[in-house]
Amino acid sequence: MTDLLTLAVQEVNAGLRPALLTFLRVAAAMAVLPAFGEQSIPRRLRLGAALAFTAILAPIAADRYTGTGLLLPALGETLAGLLIGLSLRLMVLALQTAASIAAQSASLSQLFPVAGSDPLPALGTLMTLGALALALQADLHLRLVELFLISYDLLPAGRIPDASAVATWGVGRVGHAMSLAFTLAAPFVVAGLVWNIALGIVNRAMPQLMLSFVGAPALAWGALVLAALTVPLILSVWLSTFSQVLADPFGGG
């Protein structure tokens, strides 16, 4: 009887260790993932989502957790999960940066500002919610399962990621995110520049005209029309780039 109990305890420990390490990778990623990791979502729902992903991944990834010990593997899995989540969170930050640049260029930054965990102009909130809705509609949950499975080949189970490789990847991804942000905001920046140059020319020709009472409202209305025309295209470009990052999260951009 004692031998059977010892064997049962060993089997339970052998099954709990991979499940726990898998949960640490998933939960760390879930803390910063787009859509699933938003601060507006209650913690219980995020915990439930992490447990659901763990239940899917644990039977598949159990054989990858070899060796013994728990402390260093747990640290490695937590860092790996954070890297997975940050690789996708940077895409949302790029879109929010683009929205802030566009709102500032078009004098929309003070129009219906939204206070919260991520203070954004109204244009930024609209673009962020639209992007997250498109990502979920494109089966983000299934793509995340594939991403977690791919991550075991890129970030081996139970190992602490190499610091130099992470630094190189981080620089590449941040540069890619900033480049994407300026690209998405380009229509608003160009339109705002052309409009201000035109106002400067008119002001030189008619200095007695109070252009501030005409130019600022016209710029705001023009920016709203431009947003209605370009935001669908911006979101489609963002979704395409987001899908590429999902397929190759550690490619460096």
PDB file of all heavy atoms in Angstrom, residues 29-39 41 46 53 84-93 96 128 131-133 135-136 140-141 144 147 238 242 245-246:
ATOM      1  N   ALA A  29       1.959  35.750 -20.222  1.00  0.00           N
ATOM      2  CA  ALA A  29       1.588  36.338 -21.513  1.00  0.00           C
ATOM      3  C   ALA A  29       0.213  36.985 -21.443  1.00  0.00           C
ATOM      4  O   ALA A  29      -0.020  38.063 -22.008  1.00  0.00           O
ATOM      5  CB  ALA A  29       1.618  35.267 -22.597  1.00  0.00           C
ATOM      6  N   MET A  30      -0.716  36.330 -20.737  1.00  0.00           N
ATOM      7  CA  MET A  30      -2.087  36.835 -20.651  1.00  0.00           C
ATOM      8  C   MET A  30      -2.154  38.187 -19.950  1.00  0.00           C
ATOM      9  O   MET A  30      -3.092  38.960 -20.170  1.00  0.00           O
ATOM     10  CB  MET A  30      -2.945  35.816 -19.910  1.00  0.00           C
ATOM     11  CG  MET A  30      -4.445  35.970 -20.131  1.00  0.00           C
ATOM     12  SD  MET A  30      -4.935  35.670 -21.845  1.00  0.00           S
ATOM     13  CE  MET A  30      -4.424  33.957 -22.042  1.00  0.00           C
ATOM     14  N   ALA A  31      -1.178  38.501 -19.125  1.00  0.00           N
ATOM     15  CA  ALA A  31      -1.186  39.774 -18.410  1.00  0.00           C
ATOM     16  C   ALA A  31      -1.014  40.969 -19.338  1.00  0.00           C
ATOM     17  O   ALA A  31      -1.441  42.082 -19.000  1.00  0.00           O
ATOM     18  CB  ALA A  31      -0.093  39.783 -17.342  1.00  0.00           C
ATOM     19  N   VAL A  32      -0.382  40.766 -20.503  1.00  0.00           N
ATOM     20  CA  VAL A  32      -0.102  41.884 -21.404  1.00  0.00           C
ATOM     21  C   VAL A  32      -0.611  41.649 -22.817  1.00  0.00           C
ATOM     22  O   VAL A  32      -0.419  42.503 -23.688  1.00  0.00           O
ATOM     23  CB  VAL A  32       1.419  42.172 -21.451  1.00  0.00           C
ATOM     24  CG1 VAL A  32       1.900  42.719 -20.131  1.00  0.00           C
ATOM     25  CG2 VAL A  32       2.210  40.913 -21.814  1.00  0.00           C
ATOM     26  N   LEU A  33      -1.261  40.531 -23.081  1.00  0.00           N
ATOM     27  CA  LEU A  33      -1.751  40.251 -24.432  1.00  0.00           C
ATOM     28  C   LEU A  33      -2.835  41.243 -24.842  1.00  0.00           C
ATOM     29  O   LEU A  33      -3.618  41.702 -24.012  1.00  0.00           O
ATOM     30  CB  LEU A  33      -2.315  38.831 -24.513  1.00  0.00           C
ATOM     31  CG  LEU A  33      -1.325  37.697 -24.735  1.00  0.00           C
ATOM     32  CD1 LEU A  33      -2.057  36.356 -24.681  1.00  0.00           C
ATOM     33  CD2 LEU A  33      -0.607  37.841 -26.069  1.00  0.00           C
ATOM     34  N   PRO A  34      -2.914  41.575 -26.128  1.00  0.00           N
ATOM     35  CA  PRO A  34      -4.047  42.388 -26.588  1.00  0.00           C
ATOM     36  C   PRO A  34      -5.361  41.650 -26.400  1.00  0.00           C
ATOM     37  O   PRO A  34      -5.426  40.430 -26.480  1.00  0.00           O
ATOM     38  CB  PRO A  34      -3.738  42.598 -28.080  1.00  0.00           C
ATOM     39  CG  PRO A  34      -2.283  42.326 -28.231  1.00  0.00           C
ATOM     40  CD  PRO A  34      -1.952  41.301 -27.195  1.00  0.00           C
ATOM     41  N   ALA A  35      -6.411  42.393 -26.152  1.00  0.00           N
ATOM     42  CA  ALA A  35      -7.773  41.887 -25.986  1.00  0.00           C
ATOM     43  C   ALA A  35      -7.918  41.104 -24.677  1.00  0.00           C
ATOM     44  O   ALA A  35      -8.663  41.506 -23.776  1.00  0.00           O
ATOM     45  CB  ALA A  35      -8.191  41.022 -27.176  1.00  0.00           C
ATOM     46  N   PHE A  36      -7.204  39.994 -24.529  1.00  0.00           N
ATOM     47  CA  PHE A  36      -7.341  39.164 -23.334  1.00  0.00           C
ATOM     48  C   PHE A  36      -6.699  39.806 -22.104  1.00  0.00           C
ATOM     49  O   PHE A  36      -7.100  39.500 -20.981  1.00  0.00           O
ATOM     50  CB  PHE A  36      -6.725  37.785 -23.567  1.00  0.00           C
ATOM     51  CG  PHE A  36      -7.453  36.971 -24.588  1.00  0.00           C
ATOM     52  CD1 PHE A  36      -7.008  36.926 -25.892  1.00  0.00           C
ATOM     53  CD2 PHE A  36      -8.590  36.266 -24.247  1.00  0.00           C
ATOM     54  CE1 PHE A  36      -7.681  36.182 -26.845  1.00  0.00           C
ATOM     55  CE2 PHE A  36      -9.271  35.519 -25.189  1.00  0.00           C
ATOM     56  CZ  PHE A  36      -8.822  35.472 -26.494  1.00  0.00           C
ATOM     57  N   GLY A  37      -5.721  40.649 -22.292  1.00  0.00           N
ATOM     58  CA  GLY A  37      -5.002  41.234 -21.170  1.00  0.00           C
ATOM     59  C   GLY A  37      -5.313  42.692 -20.921  1.00  0.00           C
ATOM     60  O   GLY A  37      -4.546  43.375 -20.224  1.00  0.00           O
ATOM     61  N   GLU A  38      -6.417  43.202 -21.454  1.00  0.00           N
ATOM     62  CA  GLU A  38      -6.772  44.604 -21.236  1.00  0.00           C
ATOM     63  C   GLU A  38      -7.112  44.844 -19.771  1.00  0.00           C
ATOM     64  O   GLU A  38      -7.730  43.994 -19.113  1.00  0.00           O
ATOM     65  CB  GLU A  38      -7.952  45.000 -22.123  1.00  0.00           C
ATOM     66  CG  GLU A  38      -7.706  44.799 -23.609  1.00  0.00           C
ATOM     67  CD  GLU A  38      -6.526  45.591 -24.120  1.00  0.00           C
ATOM     68  OE1 GLU A  38      -6.332  46.726 -23.651  1.00  0.00           O
ATOM     69  OE2 GLU A  38      -5.803  45.089 -24.986  1.00  0.00           O
ATOM     70  N   GLN A  39      -6.723  46.006 -19.269  1.00  0.00           N
ATOM     71  CA  GLN A  39      -6.963  46.327 -17.867  1.00  0.00           C
ATOM     72  C   GLN A  39      -8.448  46.493 -17.555  1.00  0.00           C
ATOM     73  O   GLN A  39      -8.856  46.380 -16.396  1.00  0.00           O
ATOM     74  CB  GLN A  39      -6.215  47.615 -17.494  1.00  0.00           C
ATOM     75  CG  GLN A  39      -4.704  47.482 -17.580  1.00  0.00           C
ATOM     76  CD  GLN A  39      -4.165  46.424 -16.641  1.00  0.00           C
ATOM     77  OE1 GLN A  39      -4.567  46.347 -15.481  1.00  0.00           O
ATOM     78  NE2 GLN A  39      -3.259  45.594 -17.132  1.00  0.00           N
ATOM     79  N   ILE A  41     -10.724  44.452 -18.420  1.00  0.00           N
ATOM     80  CA  ILE A  41     -11.305  43.131 -18.221  1.00  0.00           C
ATOM     81  C   ILE A  41     -11.078  42.717 -16.770  1.00  0.00           C
ATOM     82  O   ILE A  41      -9.957  42.830 -16.266  1.00  0.00           O
ATOM     83  CB  ILE A  41     -10.679  42.106 -19.181  1.00  0.00           C
ATOM     84  CG1 ILE A  41     -10.965  42.506 -20.629  1.00  0.00           C
ATOM     85  CG2 ILE A  41     -11.202  40.704 -18.913  1.00  0.00           C
ATOM     86  CD1 ILE A  41     -10.343  41.581 -21.647  1.00  0.00           C
ATOM     87  N   ARG A  46      -9.672  37.189 -16.765  1.00  0.00           N
ATOM     88  CA  ARG A  46      -8.326  36.939 -17.306  1.00  0.00           C
ATOM     89  C   ARG A  46      -7.736  35.660 -16.735  1.00  0.00           C
ATOM     90  O   ARG A  46      -7.074  34.894 -17.452  1.00  0.00           O
ATOM     91  CB  ARG A  46      -7.420  38.135 -16.981  1.00  0.00           C
ATOM     92  CG  ARG A  46      -7.662  39.336 -17.892  1.00  0.00           C
ATOM     93  CD  ARG A  46      -6.687  40.451 -17.591  1.00  0.00           C
ATOM     94  NE  ARG A  46      -7.107  41.214 -16.423  1.00  0.00           N
ATOM     95  CZ  ARG A  46      -6.345  42.091 -15.794  1.00  0.00           C
ATOM     96  NH1 ARG A  46      -5.113  42.294 -16.204  1.00  0.00           N
ATOM     97  NH2 ARG A  46      -6.794  42.760 -14.766  1.00  0.00           N
ATOM     98  N   PHE A  53      -6.540  28.328 -21.602  1.00  0.00           N
ATOM     99  CA  PHE A  53      -5.412  28.099 -22.510  1.00  0.00           C
ATOM    100  C   PHE A  53      -4.471  27.044 -21.936  1.00  0.00           C
ATOM    101  O   PHE A  53      -3.909  26.236 -22.684  1.00  0.00           O
ATOM    102  CB  PHE A  53      -4.666  29.406 -22.758  1.00  0.00           C
ATOM    103  CG  PHE A  53      -5.288  30.279 -23.814  1.00  0.00           C
ATOM    104  CD1 PHE A  53      -6.035  31.389 -23.457  1.00  0.00           C
ATOM    105  CD2 PHE A  53      -5.139  29.990 -25.151  1.00  0.00           C
ATOM    106  CE1 PHE A  53      -6.613  32.191 -24.417  1.00  0.00           C
ATOM    107  CE2 PHE A  53      -5.714  30.782 -26.125  1.00  0.00           C
ATOM    108  CZ  PHE A  53      -6.465  31.900 -25.759  1.00  0.00           C
ATOM    109  N   ILE A  84       6.333  36.758 -25.051  1.00  0.00           N
ATOM    110  CA  ILE A  84       5.269  36.448 -26.004  1.00  0.00           C
ATOM    111  C   ILE A  84       4.196  37.536 -25.975  1.00  0.00           C
ATOM    112  O   ILE A  84       3.737  38.024 -27.018  1.00  0.00           O
ATOM    113  CB  ILE A  84       4.650  35.078 -25.677  1.00  0.00           C
ATOM    114  CG1 ILE A  84       5.683  33.971 -25.887  1.00  0.00           C
ATOM    115  CG2 ILE A  84       3.417  34.815 -26.545  1.00  0.00           C
ATOM    116  CD1 ILE A  84       5.241  32.621 -25.360  1.00  0.00           C
ATOM    117  N   GLY A  85       3.785  37.923 -24.772  1.00  0.00           N
ATOM    118  CA  GLY A  85       2.764  38.954 -24.668  1.00  0.00           C
ATOM    119  C   GLY A  85       3.231  40.308 -25.168  1.00  0.00           C
ATOM    120  O   GLY A  85       2.490  41.020 -25.861  1.00  0.00           O
ATOM    121  N   LEU A  86       4.473  40.669 -24.850  1.00  0.00           N
ATOM    122  CA  LEU A  86       4.983  41.973 -25.272  1.00  0.00           C
ATOM    123  C   LEU A  86       5.152  42.056 -26.786  1.00  0.00           C
ATOM    124  O   LEU A  86       5.020  43.137 -27.368  1.00  0.00           O
ATOM    125  CB  LEU A  86       6.318  42.258 -24.582  1.00  0.00           C
ATOM    126  CG  LEU A  86       6.243  42.569 -23.083  1.00  0.00           C
ATOM    127  CD1 LEU A  86       7.637  42.704 -22.493  1.00  0.00           C
ATOM    128  CD2 LEU A  86       5.441  43.840 -22.827  1.00  0.00           C
ATOM    129  N   SER A  87       5.459  40.934 -27.433  1.00  0.00           N
ATOM    130  CA  SER A  87       5.609  40.947 -28.892  1.00  0.00           C
ATOM    131  C   SER A  87       4.326  41.383 -29.574  1.00  0.00           C
ATOM    132  O   SER A  87       4.360  42.015 -30.640  1.00  0.00           O
ATOM    133  CB  SER A  87       6.021  39.559 -29.383  1.00  0.00           C
ATOM    134  OG  SER A  87       4.996  38.618 -29.147  1.00  0.00           O
ATOM    135  N   LEU A  88       3.169  41.064 -28.967  1.00  0.00           N
ATOM    136  CA  LEU A  88       1.888  41.485 -29.525  1.00  0.00           C
ATOM    137  C   LEU A  88       1.411  42.808 -28.938  1.00  0.00           C
ATOM    138  O   LEU A  88       0.750  43.588 -29.621  1.00  0.00           O
ATOM    139  CB  LEU A  88       0.834  40.403 -29.272  1.00  0.00           C
ATOM    140  CG  LEU A  88       1.136  39.032 -29.876  1.00  0.00           C
ATOM    141  CD1 LEU A  88       0.008  38.057 -29.573  1.00  0.00           C
ATOM    142  CD2 LEU A  88       1.367  39.122 -31.373  1.00  0.00           C
ATOM    143  N   ARG A  89       1.726  43.078 -27.684  1.00  0.00           N
ATOM    144  CA  ARG A  89       1.325  44.343 -27.070  1.00  0.00           C
ATOM    145  C   ARG A  89       1.966  45.527 -27.775  1.00  0.00           C
ATOM    146  O   ARG A  89       1.378  46.611 -27.875  1.00  0.00           O
ATOM    147  CB  ARG A  89       1.690  44.332 -25.587  1.00  0.00           C
ATOM    148  CG  ARG A  89       1.445  45.630 -24.830  1.00  0.00           C
ATOM    149  CD  ARG A  89       0.038  46.119 -24.928  1.00  0.00           C
ATOM    150  NE  ARG A  89      -0.938  45.177 -24.408  1.00  0.00           N
ATOM    151  CZ  ARG A  89      -2.238  45.429 -24.354  1.00  0.00           C
ATOM    152  NH1 ARG A  89      -2.729  46.576 -24.811  1.00  0.00           N
ATOM    153  NH2 ARG A  89      -3.075  44.525 -23.873  1.00  0.00           N
ATOM    154  N   LEU A  90       3.177  45.334 -28.298  1.00  0.00           N
ATOM    155  CA  LEU A  90       3.844  46.410 -29.030  1.00  0.00           C
ATOM    156  C   LEU A  90       3.041  46.840 -30.252  1.00  0.00           C
ATOM    157  O   LEU A  90       3.093  48.005 -30.652  1.00  0.00           O
ATOM    158  CB  LEU A  90       5.257  45.966 -29.456  1.00  0.00           C
ATOM    159  CG  LEU A  90       6.328  45.981 -28.365  1.00  0.00           C
ATOM    160  CD1 LEU A  90       7.625  45.376 -28.891  1.00  0.00           C
ATOM    161  CD2 LEU A  90       6.584  47.404 -27.877  1.00  0.00           C
ATOM    162  N   MET A  91       2.299  45.916 -30.848  1.00  0.00           N
ATOM    163  CA  MET A  91       1.478  46.271 -32.000  1.00  0.00           C
ATOM    164  C   MET A  91       0.334  47.201 -31.591  1.00  0.00           C
ATOM    165  O   MET A  91      -0.009  48.136 -32.320  1.00  0.00           O
ATOM    166  CB  MET A  91       0.930  45.002 -32.640  1.00  0.00           C
ATOM    167  CG  MET A  91       1.997  44.072 -33.190  1.00  0.00           C
ATOM    168  SD  MET A  91       2.981  44.878 -34.462  1.00  0.00           S
ATOM    169  CE  MET A  91       1.731  45.239 -35.672  1.00  0.00           C
ATOM    170  N   VAL A  92      -0.260  46.948 -30.433  1.00  0.00           N
ATOM    171  CA  VAL A  92      -1.313  47.834 -29.943  1.00  0.00           C
ATOM    172  C   VAL A  92      -0.732  49.195 -29.576  1.00  0.00           C
ATOM    173  O   VAL A  92      -1.330  50.240 -29.860  1.00  0.00           O
ATOM    174  CB  VAL A  92      -2.024  47.196 -28.742  1.00  0.00           C
ATOM    175  CG1 VAL A  92      -3.088  48.127 -28.181  1.00  0.00           C
ATOM    176  CG2 VAL A  92      -2.653  45.871 -29.140  1.00  0.00           C
ATOM    177  N   LEU A  93       0.437  49.195 -28.951  1.00  0.00           N
ATOM    178  CA  LEU A  93       1.086  50.466 -28.616  1.00  0.00           C
ATOM    179  C   LEU A  93       1.433  51.253 -29.878  1.00  0.00           C
ATOM    180  O   LEU A  93       1.361  52.491 -29.880  1.00  0.00           O
ATOM    181  CB  LEU A  93       2.339  50.204 -27.786  1.00  0.00           C
ATOM    182  CG  LEU A  93       2.104  49.609 -26.393  1.00  0.00           C
ATOM    183  CD1 LEU A  93       3.428  49.335 -25.695  1.00  0.00           C
ATOM    184  CD2 LEU A  93       1.245  50.537 -25.543  1.00  0.00           C
ATOM    185  N   GLN A  96      -1.776  52.908 -30.966  1.00  0.00           N
ATOM    186  CA  GLN A  96      -2.111  54.019 -30.086  1.00  0.00           C
ATOM    187  C   GLN A  96      -1.181  55.207 -30.306  1.00  0.00           C
ATOM    188  O   GLN A  96      -1.618  56.363 -30.258  1.00  0.00           O
ATOM    189  CB  GLN A  96      -2.055  53.553 -28.631  1.00  0.00           C
ATOM    190  CG  GLN A  96      -3.135  52.542 -28.271  1.00  0.00           C
ATOM    191  CD  GLN A  96      -3.002  52.010 -26.854  1.00  0.00           C
ATOM    192  OE1 GLN A  96      -1.968  52.189 -26.204  1.00  0.00           O
ATOM    193  NE2 GLN A  96      -4.042  51.364 -26.354  1.00  0.00           N
ATOM    194  N   THR A 128      -8.236  51.770 -31.401  1.00  0.00           N
ATOM    195  CA  THR A 128      -7.824  50.635 -30.571  1.00  0.00           C
ATOM    196  C   THR A 128      -8.945  49.618 -30.437  1.00  0.00           C
ATOM    197  O   THR A 128      -8.737  48.408 -30.608  1.00  0.00           O
ATOM    198  CB  THR A 128      -7.383  51.127 -29.188  1.00  0.00           C
ATOM    199  OG1 THR A 128      -6.300  52.057 -29.334  1.00  0.00           O
ATOM    200  CG2 THR A 128      -6.914  49.965 -28.334  1.00  0.00           C
ATOM    201  N   ALA A 131      -9.450  47.843 -33.739  1.00  0.00           N
ATOM    202  CA  ALA A 131      -8.385  46.880 -34.031  1.00  0.00           C
ATOM    203  C   ALA A 131      -8.537  45.609 -33.210  1.00  0.00           C
ATOM    204  O   ALA A 131      -8.371  44.491 -33.720  1.00  0.00           O
ATOM    205  CB  ALA A 131      -7.026  47.520 -33.775  1.00  0.00           C
ATOM    206  N   LEU A 132      -8.848  45.754 -31.931  1.00  0.00           N
ATOM    207  CA  LEU A 132      -9.022  44.580 -31.083  1.00  0.00           C
ATOM    208  C   LEU A 132     -10.232  43.757 -31.529  1.00  0.00           C
ATOM    209  O   LEU A 132     -10.195  42.521 -31.497  1.00  0.00           O
ATOM    210  CB  LEU A 132      -9.178  45.001 -29.626  1.00  0.00           C
ATOM    211  CG  LEU A 132      -7.948  45.669 -28.991  1.00  0.00           C
ATOM    212  CD1 LEU A 132      -8.240  46.045 -27.548  1.00  0.00           C
ATOM    213  CD2 LEU A 132      -6.728  44.753 -29.062  1.00  0.00           C
ATOM    214  N   ALA A 133     -11.302  44.429 -31.943  1.00  0.00           N
ATOM    215  CA  ALA A 133     -12.472  43.703 -32.438  1.00  0.00           C
ATOM    216  C   ALA A 133     -12.133  42.929 -33.711  1.00  0.00           C
ATOM    217  O   ALA A 133     -12.562  41.776 -33.882  1.00  0.00           O
ATOM    218  CB  ALA A 133     -13.616  44.680 -32.691  1.00  0.00           C
ATOM    219  N   ALA A 135      -9.165  41.809 -34.540  1.00  0.00           N
ATOM    220  CA  ALA A 135      -8.281  40.703 -34.169  1.00  0.00           C
ATOM    221  C   ALA A 135      -9.075  39.528 -33.597  1.00  0.00           C
ATOM    222  O   ALA A 135      -8.810  38.364 -33.925  1.00  0.00           O
ATOM    223  CB  ALA A 135      -7.242  41.185 -33.167  1.00  0.00           C
ATOM    224  N   LEU A 136     -10.049  39.821 -32.758  1.00  0.00           N
ATOM    225  CA  LEU A 136     -10.872  38.748 -32.199  1.00  0.00           C
ATOM    226  C   LEU A 136     -11.729  38.093 -33.273  1.00  0.00           C
ATOM    227  O   LEU A 136     -11.938  36.873 -33.261  1.00  0.00           O
ATOM    228  CB  LEU A 136     -11.761  39.306 -31.086  1.00  0.00           C
ATOM    229  CG  LEU A 136     -11.043  39.724 -29.802  1.00  0.00           C
ATOM    230  CD1 LEU A 136     -11.993  40.432 -28.858  1.00  0.00           C
ATOM    231  CD2 LEU A 136     -10.420  38.507 -29.111  1.00  0.00           C
ATOM    232  N   LEU A 140      -8.447  35.245 -33.000  1.00  0.00           N
ATOM    233  CA  LEU A 140      -7.234  35.499 -32.236  1.00  0.00           C
ATOM    234  C   LEU A 140      -6.955  34.370 -31.248  1.00  0.00           C
ATOM    235  O   LEU A 140      -5.789  34.021 -31.027  1.00  0.00           O
ATOM    236  CB  LEU A 140      -7.358  36.837 -31.493  1.00  0.00           C
ATOM    237  CG  LEU A 140      -6.199  37.230 -30.566  1.00  0.00           C
ATOM    238  CD1 LEU A 140      -4.902  37.335 -31.347  1.00  0.00           C
ATOM    239  CD2 LEU A 140      -6.500  38.528 -29.839  1.00  0.00           C
ATOM    240  N   HIS A 141      -7.989  33.794 -30.655  1.00  0.00           N
ATOM    241  CA  HIS A 141      -7.774  32.726 -29.661  1.00  0.00           C
ATOM    242  C   HIS A 141      -7.102  31.505 -30.289  1.00  0.00           C
ATOM    243  O   HIS A 141      -6.228  30.889 -29.671  1.00  0.00           O
ATOM    244  CB  HIS A 141      -9.102  32.345 -29.019  1.00  0.00           C
ATOM    245  CG  HIS A 141     -10.151  31.899 -29.986  1.00  0.00           C
ATOM    246  ND1 HIS A 141     -10.735  32.743 -30.908  1.00  0.00           N
ATOM    247  CD2 HIS A 141     -10.722  30.678 -30.185  1.00  0.00           C
ATOM    248  CE1 HIS A 141     -11.626  32.079 -31.622  1.00  0.00           C
ATOM    249  NE2 HIS A 141     -11.629  30.821 -31.215  1.00  0.00           N
ATOM    250  N   LEU A 144      -3.483  32.359 -30.984  1.00  0.00           N
ATOM    251  CA  LEU A 144      -2.679  32.369 -29.765  1.00  0.00           C
ATOM    252  C   LEU A 144      -2.254  30.962 -29.371  1.00  0.00           C
ATOM    253  O   LEU A 144      -1.135  30.758 -28.888  1.00  0.00           O
ATOM    254  CB  LEU A 144      -3.459  33.027 -28.623  1.00  0.00           C
ATOM    255  CG  LEU A 144      -3.623  34.548 -28.702  1.00  0.00           C
ATOM    256  CD1 LEU A 144      -4.448  35.056 -27.530  1.00  0.00           C
ATOM    257  CD2 LEU A 144      -2.267  35.239 -28.719  1.00  0.00           C
ATOM    258  N   LEU A 147       0.550  30.240 -31.491  1.00  0.00           N
ATOM    259  CA  LEU A 147       1.708  31.016 -31.062  1.00  0.00           C
ATOM    260  C   LEU A 147       2.386  30.387 -29.853  1.00  0.00           C
ATOM    261  O   LEU A 147       3.617  30.301 -29.797  1.00  0.00           O
ATOM    262  CB  LEU A 147       1.277  32.450 -30.740  1.00  0.00           C
ATOM    263  CG  LEU A 147       2.347  33.371 -30.162  1.00  0.00           C
ATOM    264  CD1 LEU A 147       3.517  33.508 -31.110  1.00  0.00           C
ATOM    265  CD2 LEU A 147       1.757  34.746 -29.854  1.00  0.00           C
ATOM    266  N   TRP A 238      -2.982  47.484 -40.229  1.00  0.00           N
ATOM    267  CA  TRP A 238      -2.567  47.030 -38.900  1.00  0.00           C
ATOM    268  C   TRP A 238      -2.868  45.553 -38.697  1.00  0.00           C
ATOM    269  O   TRP A 238      -2.042  44.813 -38.153  1.00  0.00           O
ATOM    270  CB  TRP A 238      -3.276  47.853 -37.831  1.00  0.00           C
ATOM    271  CG  TRP A 238      -2.920  47.447 -36.439  1.00  0.00           C
ATOM    272  CD1 TRP A 238      -1.871  47.911 -35.680  1.00  0.00           C
ATOM    273  CD2 TRP A 238      -3.581  46.466 -35.623  1.00  0.00           C
ATOM    274  NE1 TRP A 238      -1.843  47.283 -34.462  1.00  0.00           N
ATOM    275  CE2 TRP A 238      -2.885  46.390 -34.394  1.00  0.00           C
ATOM    276  CE3 TRP A 238      -4.695  45.658 -35.810  1.00  0.00           C
ATOM    277  CZ2 TRP A 238      -3.270  45.528 -33.367  1.00  0.00           C
ATOM    278  CZ3 TRP A 238      -5.072  44.796 -34.802  1.00  0.00           C
ATOM    279  CH2 TRP A 238      -4.367  44.742 -33.590  1.00  0.00           C
ATOM    280  N   PHE A 242      -0.272  42.698 -37.838  1.00  0.00           N
ATOM    281  CA  PHE A 242      -0.485  41.938 -36.612  1.00  0.00           C
ATOM    282  C   PHE A 242      -0.474  40.433 -36.893  1.00  0.00           C
ATOM    283  O   PHE A 242       0.086  39.649 -36.118  1.00  0.00           O
ATOM    284  CB  PHE A 242      -1.811  42.363 -35.990  1.00  0.00           C
ATOM    285  CG  PHE A 242      -2.103  41.731 -34.661  1.00  0.00           C
ATOM    286  CD1 PHE A 242      -1.452  42.154 -33.513  1.00  0.00           C
ATOM    287  CD2 PHE A 242      -3.046  40.720 -34.552  1.00  0.00           C
ATOM    288  CE1 PHE A 242      -1.721  41.581 -32.282  1.00  0.00           C
ATOM    289  CE2 PHE A 242      -3.324  40.137 -33.326  1.00  0.00           C
ATOM    290  CZ  PHE A 242      -2.665  40.568 -32.190  1.00  0.00           C
ATOM    291  N   VAL A 245       3.077  39.296 -37.295  1.00  0.00           N
ATOM    292  CA  VAL A 245       3.767  39.160 -36.003  1.00  0.00           C
ATOM    293  C   VAL A 245       3.309  37.897 -35.278  1.00  0.00           C
ATOM    294  O   VAL A 245       4.106  37.217 -34.625  1.00  0.00           O
ATOM    295  CB  VAL A 245       3.531  40.414 -35.140  1.00  0.00           C
ATOM    296  CG1 VAL A 245       4.126  40.247 -33.739  1.00  0.00           C
ATOM    297  CG2 VAL A 245       4.134  41.639 -35.805  1.00  0.00           C
ATOM    298  N   LEU A 246       2.030  37.550 -35.387  1.00  0.00           N
ATOM    299  CA  LEU A 246       1.544  36.321 -34.792  1.00  0.00           C
ATOM    300  C   LEU A 246       2.240  35.104 -35.379  1.00  0.00           C
ATOM    301  O   LEU A 246       2.535  34.133 -34.677  1.00  0.00           O
ATOM    302  CB  LEU A 246       0.030  36.202 -34.994  1.00  0.00           C
ATOM    303  CG  LEU A 246      -0.881  36.878 -33.980  1.00  0.00           C
ATOM    304  CD1 LEU A 246      -2.318  36.813 -34.434  1.00  0.00           C
ATOM    305  CD2 LEU A 246      -0.739  36.240 -32.616  1.00  0.00           C
TER     306      LEU A 246
END
